[in-house]
Amino acid sequence: MFSYLLISKSIHTLIENDPSTLVSALIAHVKSTRGYTTTYQKAWLAKQKAIENIYDNWERSFHDLSRLLQAMQQFVPGMVAEKETLPMPPQKGQTLEGFVKFHYLFWSFTLCIDGFQYCKPVVQVDGTCLYDKYKRTLFVVGAQDDNNKILPIAFVIVEGETAEAWLFFLKNLKRHVTYKIVYWLISDRHKSIKSVYSRRDSRWTTQNSIHVFYIRQIAPNYMRRFK
């Protein structure tokens, strides 16, 4: 019987060429090359192991984050990256003094920042959940040029849509990207965004911007309430 470790070696090249290869395709590959029909669960485990063998595991990726950011800033001049960490909480039988863990990360590229100066004075912010071992939230800011093409201008990974997370995001967005003229800030009606926008330390004020909401999101709420 084939173990998932043995299957992971068999599918290594497939995953290296395309990490998004479907599990059903991996099952068919093992059947055609090895004459063995594996279960979906075993093929899924084999895929995860192959990904780990190629790209390393989740813990190592977080550990290498600072080094990877330094390399990107070295080879992509002008790239902006702001990172916050927290001290590791003490654990039973372990001394973790001096160790830190990932908390927030903001980044933007030179081409995004330079290109934004030629876009309309409107920015759109939104967040989406990340669904893997470390469940975080990705915030993205987009702008639109005169040809109505969308330009992503900044990104943030945080622990969730909290007031402090939005403050970190909006403060760095204003500091590094949207620092020149008056802007329209478009968002959903999340309470955290509304509360942070009104804070002076967010750098977004009624003197330098106007906060408005997505009509697309207001409309469904209206229809649900008034039928």
Side-chain angles (χ1 to χ4, degrees):
M1 180 179 291
F2 284 70
S3 68
Y4 79 90
L5 295 175
L6 184 59
I7 294 173
S8 70
K9 296 178 181 179
S10 176
I11 64 175
H12 183 95
T13 302
L14 281 178
I15 299 301
E16 189 172 31
N17 292 333
D18 182 8
S20 64
T21 301
L22 297 176
V23 173
S24 57
L26 299 178
I27 294 174
H29 172 79
V30 173
K31 175 66 175 177
S32 64
T33 58
R34 302 286 184 170
Y36 174 73
T37 302
T38 184
T39 64
Y40 187 96
Q41 181 183 19
K42 190 179 291 186
W44 185 88
L45 290 172
K47 178 180 178 179
Q48 305 313 306
K49 184 61 178 177
I51 290 175
E52 181 178 324
N53 290 337
I54 297 167
Y55 300 105
D56 221 328
N57 58 30
W58 296 101
E59 289 81 2
R60 181 43 112 182
S61 296
F62 267 74
H63 178 75
D64 289 344
L65 182 60
S66 294
R67 183 173 59 84
L68 294 172
L69 287 173
Q70 290 175 0
M72 290 182 69
Q73 289 176 303
Q74 179 180 350
F75 291 101
V76 185
M79 176 190 172
V80 173
E82 297 283 354
K83 177 168 62 72
E84 282 192 9
T85 58
L86 293 175
M88 287 288 288
Q91 298 183 13
K92 187 176 180 180
Q94 292 182 322
T95 301
L96 298 174
E97 185 176 351
F99 286 82
V100 297
K101 65 177 182 177
F102 174 86
H103 191 41
Y104 298 149
L105 173 63
F106 171 97
W107 76 96
S108 183
F109 299 101
T110 307
L111 292 176
C112 297
I113 297 172
D114 293 345
F116 178 62
Q117 310 311 314
Y118 301 95
C119 290
K120 300 170 185 177
V122 178
V123 293
Q124 305 170 56
V125 301
D126 205 355
T128 185
C129 294
L130 304 179
Y131 298 97
D132 270 309
K133 184 172 182 179
Y134 297 101
K135 294 178 174 61
R136 299 274 169 168
T137 300
L138 171 68
F139 294 161
V140 180
V141 184
Q144 193 178 70
D145 65 17
D146 287 338
N147 292 321
N148 295 327
K149 304 300 182 182
I150 301 299
L151 175 69
I153 58 174
F155 312 86
V156 165
I157 294 178
V158 292
E159 86 285 0
E161 294 196 53
T162 64
E164 290 305 311
W166 278 111
L167 177 62
F168 173 81
F169 185 22
L170 293 177
K171 181 171 60 178
N172 281 293
L173 177 65
K174 175 62 72 174
R175 176 186 175 190
H176 295 294
V177 185
T178 62
Y179 49 81
K180 286 191 175 181
I181 61 176
V182 176
Y183 294 98
W184 288 65
L185 175 67
I186 305 177
S187 75
D188 61 21
R189 301 180 71 251
H190 198 285
K191 293 181 179 179
S192 295
I193 306 176
K194 294 170 65 177
S195 65
V196 167
Y197 177 81
S198 61
R199 289 173 54 170
R200 183 175 296 274
D201 53 349
S202 74
R203 307 190 184 208
W204 292 82
T205 68
T206 53
Q207 285 72 45
N208 65 27
S209 60
I210 302 172
H211 187 198
V212 296
F213 304 118
Y214 291 120
I215 288 294
R216 179 176 292 181
Q217 291 186 337
I218 293 175
N221 293 339
Y222 181 91
M223 295 301 292
R224 278 197 299 269
R225 180 167 182 176
F226 297 103
K227 307 301 180 185

